[in-house]
């Protein structure tokens, strides 16, 4: 998840801007339980579920838009170079899908906590998400019925 907030590769080889042109979807795993203690000044990130997901996905969304703006600028000028293949047309931010936590690790994740993550994702501008539970038991009460 910290690949959304850090511009370096965190020693894991993942930089959003390097991925945008080459993948149909990018799903940052922004599980609040996986952020380190005192991340962004929060002693326990599990107590800031909405804030973690919103901040992370908002930054990813902004980076996608910034990347696309640089591509457009690069195409208009021969002096600016952005690392992207010539065929790439943009829409990086639309490729984002939030990985949402639906399992108890570091905290109790139930209807309210899962719903907070979904809402934070929408509020950040990301309209797609995926939910993970290693037990394969999901909090259906957090999901809207069609």
């Amino acid at each position: 998840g910290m690949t959304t907030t850090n511009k370096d590769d965190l020693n894991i080889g993942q930089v959003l801007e390097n991925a945008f042109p080459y993948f149909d979807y990018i799903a940052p795993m922004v599980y609040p339980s996986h952020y380190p203690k005192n991340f962004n000044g929060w002693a326990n990130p599990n107590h800031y579920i909405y804030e973690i997901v919103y901040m992370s996905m908002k930054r990813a969304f902004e980076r996608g838009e910034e990347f696309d703006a640089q591509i457009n600028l690069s195409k208009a000028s021969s002096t600016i170079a952005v690392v992207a293949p010539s065929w790439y047309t943009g829409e990086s931010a639309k490729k984002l899908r939030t990985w949402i936590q639906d399992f108890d690790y570091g905290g109790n994740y139930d209807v309210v906590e899962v719903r907070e993550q979904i809402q934070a994702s929408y509020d950040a501008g990301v309209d797609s998400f995926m939910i993970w539970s290693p037990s394969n038991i999901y909090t259906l009460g957090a999901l809207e019925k069609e």
Side-chain angles (χ1 to χ4, degrees):
M2 289 175 58
T3 59
T4 64
T5 57
N6 287 49
K7 287 206 170 189
D8 65 343
D9 74 352
L10 296 160
N11 292 320
I12 59 173
Q14 295 179 7
V15 176
L16 278 178
E17 288 78 5
N18 294 346
F20 282 134
Y22 298 101
F23 295 94
D24 293 332
Y25 297 98
I26 298 172
M29 188 176 72
V30 293
Y31 305 163
S33 66
H34 286 41
Y35 283 80
K37 187 176 185 179
N38 294 318
F39 177 78
N40 203 41
W42 298 316
N44 182 348
N46 281 295
H47 297 161
Y48 298 91
I49 293 168
Y50 177 91
E51 293 85 347
I52 288 278
V53 174
Y54 175 80
M55 180 191 71
S56 299
M57 295 311 293
K58 182 69 172 173
R59 187 62 193 124
F61 190 88
E62 291 168 350
R63 285 173 67 183
E65 290 186 325
E66 290 165 9
F67 182 74
D68 292 345
Q70 286 297 314
I71 288 173
N72 292 333
L73 190 58
S74 183
K75 287 179 180 178
S77 169
S78 59
T79 60
I80 298 171
V82 173
V83 179
S86 60
W87 48 260
Y88 185 64
T89 59
E91 296 192 341
S92 297
K94 290 183 180 180
K95 294 180 171 215
L96 294 167
R97 285 187 172 170
T98 309
W99 263 119
I100 291 175
Q101 177 175 346
D102 191 5
F103 55 92
D104 295 342
Y105 180 73
N108 183 21
Y109 283 76
D110 206 344
V111 172
V112 170
E113 293 78 14
V114 173
R115 191 71 215 148
E116 280 184 19
Q117 293 174 84
I118 294 168
Q119 190 60 54
S121 183
Y122 290 153
D123 291 349
V126 179
D127 62 5
S128 185
F129 64 88
M130 300 181 294
I131 299 177
W132 171 246
S133 173
S135 68
N136 204 28
I137 298 171
Y138 294 92
T139 308
L140 297 179
L143 304 175
E144 294 179 5
K145 294 181 179 165
E146 293 186 296

